[in-house]
Amino acid sequence: TASVTLTEAGADRQSMRAAARLITMDTPYRWWLALACMFCCSSGACGAQADLPAGGAERAGYALESLNDFYFGKDQELSGAWSVQTHSGVAGSWDGLEEVPGMVRRLGASIPTLSGKDRHYRVSAAFCQITQTPVDLKRSDLIEEDAPYAGALLVSLSWYGYNDATFAGLEFVTGMVGPASGAEWMQENTHEWLGITRPRGWDNQLRNELIINFNYSRKRKVMQRGDAAKGSFDATLGGRICAGN
């Protein structure tokens, strides 16, 4: 799937990573409905900057991101996704995060393992829509041996604490899967506007379901060689725990 990203200068790309959620049908098949939307489901990076930029925290930033099989002339499984993201500036403490609501800062400070000595902190939020379809868009019957028609409309809020050696992050994601996501309307109108194949199987899409997920990530740098200014190599170990529906 091709990706197109537009970011405001100052947005930290290391804290914007796409992820995916597993959605199942009442068949033996499982398909990934990518929540790889611009801001939904991000997992930061362990190797974030060791030092804050001179003069204070790195500036806040915004990102608009699009993923779509249409860029490669195909439309299957992950048909398309878009997201709008906002990322706070980096600060040396949770209280130092500017233009972040007090409740969000306090929640970050209360999350175990995110805070620590010499760490930097950042908060991100996102709004995204994902569309998934089977390969054959011309069939109107239920295709049980392929990915289902499905859409998701999601919001996420993420907290990160990191330094040059370690990273910890927690993400909360919620929204709707099913007709309430508006994916059917979005795809049908987009395909009509572009003059490409009209999808005929949306009557078989997954039913409405509330999505609530918590995703915790932890990474630690276990090796570093070289000089970052001249070229370096490092290795990290990490893991991810996801809970929800």
Side-chain angles (χ1 to χ4, degrees), residues 1 21 25 47 51 53 63 67-68 78 91 97 104 106 113 116 135 137 154 158-159 163-164 166 170 203 221 244:
T1 300
R21 295 291 173 273
M25 290 186 71
D51 302 303
L67 298 98
N68 203 302
L78 175 59
L97 290 171
V104 175
R106 290 190 293 271
T113 76
V135 174
L137 298 181
L154 305 162
S158 303
W159 298 262
N163 54 30
D164 190 54
T166 188
L170 180 71
D203 287 345
K221 187 178 293 184

Side-chain angles (χ1 to χ4, degrees), residues 125-167:
F127 177 71
C128 70
Q129 184 186 62
I130 307 105
T131 304
Q132 174 184 272
T133 63
V135 174
D136 190 349
L137 298 181
K138 296 179 180 179
R139 288 178 56 178
S140 60
D141 58 314
L142 177 62
I143 308 174
E144 296 187 355
E145 68 276 8
D146 202 344
Y149 278 87
L153 192 65
L154 305 162
V155 295
S156 71
L157 185 61
S158 303
W159 298 262
Y160 310 107
Y162 64 89
N163 54 30
D164 190 54
T166 188
F167 168 91

Side-chain angles (χ1 to χ4, degrees), residues 118-132:
D118 299 324
R119 289 195 185 182
H120 310 316
Y121 304 98
R122 191 165 218 178
V123 173
S124 299
F127 177 71
C128 70
Q129 184 186 62
I130 307 105
T131 304
Q132 174 184 272

Side-chain angles (χ1 to χ4, degrees), residues 9 37 56 76 106 126 186 219:
C37 317
Q76 56 191 42
R106 290 190 293 271
M186 178 66 75
K219 299 181 182 180

Side-chain angles (χ1 to χ4, degrees), residues 24-210:
T24 63
M25 290 186 71
D26 296 328
T27 73
Y29 294 89
R30 294 187 176 199
W31 298 95
W32 291 98
L33 181 62
L35 305 187
C37 317
M38 316 167 183
F39 47 17
C40 290
C41 312
S42 47
S43 81
C46 180
Q49 294 93 332
D51 302 303
L52 292 176
E58 185 175 349
R59 292 192 301 126
Y62 301 89
L64 170 63
E65 195 166 301
S66 173
L67 298 98
N68 203 302
D69 280 350
F70 176 73
Y71 303 142
F72 284 152
K74 297 182 179 180
D75 194 0
Q76 56 191 42
E77 297 182 12
L78 175 59
S79 177
W82 59 263
S83 71
V84 181
Q85 310 160 10
T86 178
H87 302 265
S88 74
V90 176
S93 68
W94 292 107
D95 288 338
L97 290 171
E98 298 180 356
E99 299 182 2
V100 175
M103 182 180 70
V104 175
R105 297 198 305 268
R106 290 190 293 271
L107 281 171
S110 68
I111 298 171
T113 76
L114 262 63
S115 301
K117 183 179 179 181
D118 299 324
R119 289 195 185 182
H120 310 316
Y121 304 98
R122 191 165 218 178
V123 173
S124 299
F127 177 71
C128 70
Q129 184 186 62
I130 307 105
T131 304
Q132 174 184 272
T133 63
V135 174
D136 190 349
L137 298 181
K138 296 179 180 179
R139 288 178 56 178
S140 60
D141 58 314
L142 177 62
I143 308 174
E144 296 187 355
E145 68 276 8
D146 202 344
Y149 278 87
L153 192 65
L154 305 162
V155 295
S156 71
L157 185 61
S158 303
W159 298 262
Y160 310 107
Y162 64 89
N163 54 30
D164 190 54
T166 188
F167 168 91
L170 180 71
E171 177 188 50
F172 170 68
V173 182
T174 188
M176 292 294 298
V177 167
S181 70
E184 175 183 1
W185 180 90
M186 178 66 75
Q187 188 185 49
E188 288 183 344
N189 282 276
T190 300
H191 280 220
E192 181 179 358
W193 179 64
L194 294 173
I196 57 180
T197 304
R198 175 175 171 264
R200 300 179 182 276
W202 276 105
D203 287 345
N204 305 304
Q205 69 176 300
L206 298 182
R207 67 183 184 279
N208 281 328
E209 181 181 359
L210 177 66

